[in-house]
Short mmCIF file of all heavy atoms in Angstrom, two decimals:
data_model
loop_
_atom_site.label_atom_id
_atom_site.label_comp_id
_atom_site.label_asym_id
_atom_site.label_seq_id
_atom_site.Cartn_x
_atom_site.Cartn_y
_atom_site.Cartn_z
N ILE D 16 -8.74 72.63 -5.63
CA ILE D 16 -9.82 71.71 -5.25
C ILE D 16 -9.96 70.58 -6.27
O ILE D 16 -10.12 69.43 -5.92
CB ILE D 16 -11.18 72.46 -5.18
CG1 ILE D 16 -11.10 73.61 -4.15
CG2 ILE D 16 -12.31 71.50 -4.80
CD1 ILE D 16 -12.26 74.59 -4.24
N GLY D 17 -9.83 70.93 -7.54
CA GLY D 17 -10.36 70.05 -8.57
C GLY D 17 -9.39 69.10 -9.22
O GLY D 17 -9.70 68.52 -10.25
N GLY D 18 -8.20 68.92 -8.67
CA GLY D 18 -7.22 68.18 -9.44
C GLY D 18 -7.47 66.68 -9.59
O GLY D 18 -7.50 65.96 -8.60
N GLY D 38 -7.62 57.47 -38.99
CA GLY D 38 -8.35 56.45 -38.24
C GLY D 38 -8.77 56.91 -36.86
O GLY D 38 -9.11 56.09 -36.00
N ARG D 64 -19.21 73.90 -9.24
CA ARG D 64 -19.67 73.31 -10.51
C ARG D 64 -18.56 73.32 -11.56
O ARG D 64 -18.37 72.36 -12.31
CB ARG D 64 -20.90 74.08 -11.02
CG ARG D 64 -22.01 74.16 -9.97
CD ARG D 64 -23.28 73.52 -10.38
NE ARG D 64 -24.03 73.14 -9.18
CZ ARG D 64 -25.25 73.58 -8.87
NH1 ARG D 64 -25.91 74.40 -9.69
NH2 ARG D 64 -25.87 73.18 -7.77
N LEU D 68 -16.46 70.42 -13.86
CA LEU D 68 -16.09 70.46 -15.28
C LEU D 68 -14.61 70.13 -15.43
O LEU D 68 -14.22 69.28 -16.23
CB LEU D 68 -16.40 71.85 -15.86
CG LEU D 68 -15.79 72.18 -17.22
CD1 LEU D 68 -16.33 71.27 -18.32
CD2 LEU D 68 -16.03 73.64 -17.60
N HIS D 75 -10.68 62.48 -18.29
CA HIS D 75 -10.79 61.81 -19.59
C HIS D 75 -9.63 62.15 -20.52
O HIS D 75 -9.48 61.50 -21.55
CB HIS D 75 -12.13 62.16 -20.24
CG HIS D 75 -13.27 61.41 -19.64
ND1 HIS D 75 -13.71 60.21 -20.12
CD2 HIS D 75 -14.04 61.67 -18.56
CE1 HIS D 75 -14.72 59.76 -19.38
NE2 HIS D 75 -14.95 60.65 -18.42
N TYR D 84 -13.58 75.56 -27.09
CA TYR D 84 -13.76 76.79 -27.86
C TYR D 84 -14.91 77.57 -27.24
O TYR D 84 -15.91 76.98 -26.81
CB TYR D 84 -14.10 76.47 -29.32
CG TYR D 84 -13.08 75.55 -29.93
CD1 TYR D 84 -13.19 74.16 -29.77
CD2 TYR D 84 -11.99 76.05 -30.62
CE1 TYR D 84 -12.24 73.30 -30.29
CE2 TYR D 84 -11.02 75.20 -31.15
CZ TYR D 84 -11.17 73.83 -30.99
OH TYR D 84 -10.22 72.99 -31.51
N LEU D 89 -19.96 85.02 -30.50
CA LEU D 89 -19.60 84.94 -31.92
C LEU D 89 -20.56 84.05 -32.70
O LEU D 89 -20.68 84.19 -33.91
CB LEU D 89 -18.17 84.41 -32.09
CG LEU D 89 -17.06 85.41 -31.71
CD1 LEU D 89 -15.69 84.82 -32.03
CD2 LEU D 89 -17.22 86.74 -32.44
N ASP D 94 -22.86 78.16 -26.62
CA ASP D 94 -21.86 78.89 -25.84
C ASP D 94 -20.48 78.23 -25.88
O ASP D 94 -19.48 78.91 -25.87
CB ASP D 94 -22.35 79.00 -24.39
CG ASP D 94 -23.60 79.85 -24.29
OD1 ASP D 94 -23.55 81.01 -24.72
OD2 ASP D 94 -24.63 79.34 -23.81
N HIS D 100 -11.08 64.13 -29.87
CA HIS D 100 -10.49 63.10 -30.73
C HIS D 100 -10.34 61.83 -29.91
O HIS D 100 -9.81 61.88 -28.79
CB HIS D 100 -9.10 63.53 -31.22
CG HIS D 100 -9.15 64.62 -32.25
ND1 HIS D 100 -9.25 65.94 -31.90
CD2 HIS D 100 -9.13 64.57 -33.61
CE1 HIS D 100 -9.27 66.68 -33.01
NE2 HIS D 100 -9.19 65.88 -34.06
N GLU D 106 -15.36 56.00 -26.34
CA GLU D 106 -14.62 56.79 -25.34
C GLU D 106 -15.14 58.23 -25.32
O GLU D 106 -15.22 58.85 -24.25
CB GLU D 106 -13.13 56.74 -25.66
CG GLU D 106 -12.57 55.32 -25.45
CD GLU D 106 -11.13 55.20 -25.90
OE1 GLU D 106 -10.83 55.55 -27.08
OE2 GLU D 106 -10.29 54.77 -25.09
N LEU D 111 -18.59 62.42 -22.65
CA LEU D 111 -19.74 63.34 -22.70
C LEU D 111 -20.83 62.93 -21.71
O LEU D 111 -21.54 63.77 -21.16
CB LEU D 111 -20.28 63.43 -24.13
CG LEU D 111 -19.34 64.16 -25.11
CD1 LEU D 111 -19.87 64.10 -26.55
CD2 LEU D 111 -19.14 65.63 -24.70
N LEU D 112 -20.94 61.62 -21.44
CA LEU D 112 -21.88 61.16 -20.40
C LEU D 112 -21.45 61.70 -19.03
O LEU D 112 -22.27 62.20 -18.27
CB LEU D 112 -21.92 59.63 -20.35
CG LEU D 112 -22.66 58.93 -21.48
CD1 LEU D 112 -22.43 57.42 -21.40
CD2 LEU D 112 -24.17 59.22 -21.41
N VAL D 139 -4.45 63.54 -52.75
CA VAL D 139 -3.11 64.13 -52.71
C VAL D 139 -2.06 63.26 -53.41
O VAL D 139 -1.23 63.80 -54.15
CB VAL D 139 -2.71 64.46 -51.25
CG1 VAL D 139 -1.26 64.92 -51.17
CG2 VAL D 139 -3.65 65.52 -50.66
N PRO D 140 -2.07 61.92 -53.20
CA PRO D 140 -1.02 61.11 -53.84
C PRO D 140 -0.88 61.36 -55.33
O PRO D 140 0.22 61.23 -55.88
CB PRO D 140 -1.47 59.67 -53.55
CG PRO D 140 -2.26 59.77 -52.28
CD PRO D 140 -2.96 61.10 -52.35
N ARG D 168 -21.82 68.78 -47.41
CA ARG D 168 -22.43 67.61 -48.03
C ARG D 168 -22.31 67.75 -49.54
O ARG D 168 -22.67 68.77 -50.10
CB ARG D 168 -23.89 67.43 -47.61
CG ARG D 168 -24.49 66.14 -48.17
CD ARG D 168 -25.68 65.61 -47.38
NE ARG D 168 -26.16 64.38 -47.94
CZ ARG D 168 -25.69 63.16 -47.62
NH1 ARG D 168 -24.76 63.03 -46.71
NH2 ARG D 168 -26.17 62.09 -48.21
N THR D 189 -7.53 72.37 -54.42
CA THR D 189 -6.36 72.46 -53.55
C THR D 189 -5.47 73.62 -53.97
O THR D 189 -4.93 74.35 -53.12
CB THR D 189 -5.60 71.13 -53.57
OG1 THR D 189 -6.51 70.08 -53.19
CG2 THR D 189 -4.44 71.15 -52.59
N SER D 221 -5.36 83.19 -37.29
CA SER D 221 -5.35 84.47 -36.55
C SER D 221 -5.80 85.58 -37.50
O SER D 221 -6.00 86.70 -37.09
CB SER D 221 -3.95 84.77 -36.01
OG SER D 221 -3.05 84.93 -37.08
N LEU D 233 -12.55 79.08 -52.78
CA LEU D 233 -13.11 77.73 -52.91
C LEU D 233 -14.50 77.76 -53.55
O LEU D 233 -14.91 76.81 -54.22
CB LEU D 233 -13.18 77.04 -51.54
CG LEU D 233 -11.82 76.71 -50.92
CD1 LEU D 233 -12.00 76.07 -49.56
CD2 LEU D 233 -11.03 75.79 -51.84
N TYR D 241 -20.77 71.00 -56.86
CA TYR D 241 -21.25 69.70 -56.36
C TYR D 241 -21.48 69.72 -54.85
O TYR D 241 -21.72 68.70 -54.25
CB TYR D 241 -20.26 68.60 -56.74
CG TYR D 241 -20.10 68.43 -58.23
CD1 TYR D 241 -19.13 69.14 -58.94
CD2 TYR D 241 -20.94 67.59 -58.95
CE1 TYR D 241 -18.98 68.99 -60.31
CE2 TYR D 241 -20.82 67.44 -60.31
CZ TYR D 241 -19.83 68.15 -60.99
OH TYR D 241 -19.72 68.00 -62.34
N ILE D 250 -19.82 77.34 -37.81
CA ILE D 250 -19.63 77.58 -36.37
C ILE D 250 -18.30 78.32 -36.18
O ILE D 250 -17.26 77.81 -36.57
CB ILE D 250 -19.62 76.24 -35.58
CG1 ILE D 250 -20.93 75.49 -35.80
CG2 ILE D 250 -19.39 76.50 -34.10
CD1 ILE D 250 -20.90 74.06 -35.32
N THR D 253 -13.65 81.09 -30.57
CA THR D 253 -12.25 81.34 -30.26
C THR D 253 -11.69 80.18 -29.44
O THR D 253 -12.37 79.61 -28.60
CB THR D 253 -12.08 82.67 -29.48
OG1 THR D 253 -13.09 82.75 -28.48
CG2 THR D 253 -12.20 83.87 -30.39
#
Side-chain angles (χ1 to χ4, degrees):
Chain D
I16 301 167
R64 306 241 156 120
L68 166 64
H75 284 268
Y84 307 85
L89 287 185
D94 295 303
H100 288 83
E106 292 174 306
L111 290 174
L112 286 171
V139 173
R168 185 156 182 87
T189 305
S221 63
L233 292 179
Y241 298 91
I250 301 168
T253 43

